[in-house]
Amino acid sequence: MAKKNQREMSFLDHLEVLRWVLIRSTIAILIGATVAYNFSDFIFDVIIFGPKDGNFITYRWFCELATQYDLDKSFCLEELPFQLQNRTMEGQFSMLIWTSITAGFIISFPFILWELWKFVSPALYEKEKKNIKYFIAIASFLFFLGVAFGYFILTPLSINFLANLTISTQVENQIDIDSYIGLVKTTSLATGLVFELPIVIFFLAKMGLVTAKFLRDYRRYAIVIILIIAAIVTPPDVISQIIVTIPLWILYEVSIFIALFVSKKDKQTT
């Protein structure tokens, strides 16, 4: 009976640690959101609405590529054919708050990783616990790289494609601000999390849930899925699809090497 109570207390203590991890992470996000709120003009005018401008750096870059290689010229434009509108009384206030929270999450992401590492570290070896600085640095770099890729590549490609897609000349694009900002935030944040794939594979391999052989065996299916995603979010030209496909493919290949590395390290320690 005493052992049973001890196990129950151990489980409750574990939940208590997790609760404080979530509390500290939430506080960090709120602090980051407060900082973002104070710079909301810059965040909206320069960052959020940047891809709406025909002179956005990505459009200029793709236009130069299209001109040089005689490809689709849809990126060579001065203004995107749509206008933003707010149709609800609290719409802009809601966008201000949720955008600040999203920015707060991005800003505080390294701290959140630190908290998660402390939570899982008791299950790791002593040598692995000493690698926390490398884990934080690599995971943060991958996340910010993914956010940048989503913002500078996927978001402009999606906005340009959807803004120029018309079913009839009688339909005029007046996009709701919630829809536009949702696309920018979701694409950038989701891509940042997708770029954490090598980190996720590392922990799955440590738990024995994924192996390098499994990833190799399903490589062809993964490539097909990546190509489908690239085809959906890009205009119908090869260059754009390649630009989106290559980073995702590289992440998958890196994940295979990580799973292989973990399995070799585990064999050495046993």
Side-chain angles (χ1 to χ4, degrees):
M1 190 66 157
K3 292 183 178 180
K4 182 178 180 180
N5 290 334
Q6 185 176 1
R7 286 197 298 270
E8 290 177 352
M9 286 300 297
S10 177
F11 176 73
L12 292 176
D13 289 343
H14 192 70
L15 289 180
E16 179 67 12
V17 172
L18 178 60
R19 185 174 75 90
W20 278 105
V21 166
L22 296 176
I23 290 175
R24 288 191 293 268
S25 298
T26 301
I27 293 174
I29 293 174
L30 292 177
I31 293 174
T34 302
V35 174
Y37 181 87
N38 291 323
F39 292 92
S40 59
D41 290 342
F42 174 81
I43 291 175
F44 280 99
D45 293 338
V46 178
I47 298 178
I48 298 293
F49 297 136
K52 182 181 178 297
D53 187 354
N55 290 319
F56 190 62
I57 183 172
T58 304
Y59 300 140
R60 296 202 307 268
W61 182 49
F62 276 97
C63 179
E64 292 175 1
L65 284 176
T67 303
Q68 183 175 356
Y69 296 100
D70 194 24
L71 299 172
D72 179 45
K73 301 295 194 303
S74 62
F75 289 100
C76 300
L77 41 82
E78 295 182 359
E79 185 178 359
L80 289 170
F82 72 92
Q83 293 180 342
L84 294 178
Q85 61 177 350
N86 174 49
R87 297 183 296 112
T88 59
M89 184 66 69
E90 75 286 354
Q92 296 196 48
F93 177 75
S94 177
M95 284 299 99
L96 174 61
I97 297 301
W98 284 109
T99 300
S100 298
I101 292 175
T102 302
F105 175 80
I106 295 174
I107 294 171
S108 60
F109 190 76
F111 179 81
I112 295 174
L113 288 175
W114 166 269
E115 288 293 331
L116 291 176
W117 177 272
K118 289 195 299 182
F119 179 71
V120 302
S121 61
L124 302 177
Y125 296 107
E126 287 299 326
K127 291 183 178 179
E128 294 171 335
K129 293 180 181 180
K130 296 178 181 179
N131 294 329
I132 180 171
K133 58 183 179 181
Y134 301 109
F135 167 77
I136 299 296
I138 294 174
S140 298
F141 172 76
L142 288 173
F143 176 75
F144 291 129
L145 181 64
V147 170
F149 180 78
Y151 175 73
F152 286 105
I153 304 297
L154 293 186
T155 296
L157 289 174
S158 300
I159 291 176
N160 180 272
F161 174 73
L162 295 174
N164 287 284
L165 179 65
T166 58
I167 59 175
S168 172
T169 56
Q170 300 183 46
V171 180
E172 181 180 354
N173 282 332
Q174 295 183 350
I175 310 300
D176 190 83
I177 187 174
D178 182 54
S179 175
Y180 173 84
I181 295 180
L183 187 148
V184 176
K185 292 192 302 183
T186 302
T187 302
S188 302
L189 190 58
T191 310
L193 296 177
V194 167
F195 269 54
E196 292 295 297
L197 178 62
I199 304 298
V200 174
I201 293 298
F202 172 81
F203 284 104
L204 291 178
K206 289 293 295 181
M207 294 185 289
L209 299 177
V210 170
T211 63
K213 182 179 182 302
F214 173 85
L215 295 175
R216 289 197 195 99
D217 292 342
Y218 286 88
R219 178 191 277 123
R220 66 183 68 179
Y221 303 106
I223 293 175
V224 170
I225 294 174
I226 290 173
L227 289 173
I228 292 174
I229 294 173
I232 292 174
V233 302
T234 60
D237 67 78
V238 178
I239 299 296
S240 300
Q241 293 175 9
I242 291 176
I243 290 174
V244 173
T245 299
I246 289 178
L248 300 179
W249 191 352
I250 291 175
L251 282 175
Y252 191 83
E253 295 297 330
V254 169
S255 299
I256 294 177
F257 283 104
I258 289 176
L260 183 62
F261 172 78
V262 171
S263 62
K264 288 183 178 179
K265 292 291 289 184
D266 288 344
K267 288 179 181 178
Q268 293 176 359
T269 56
T270 55

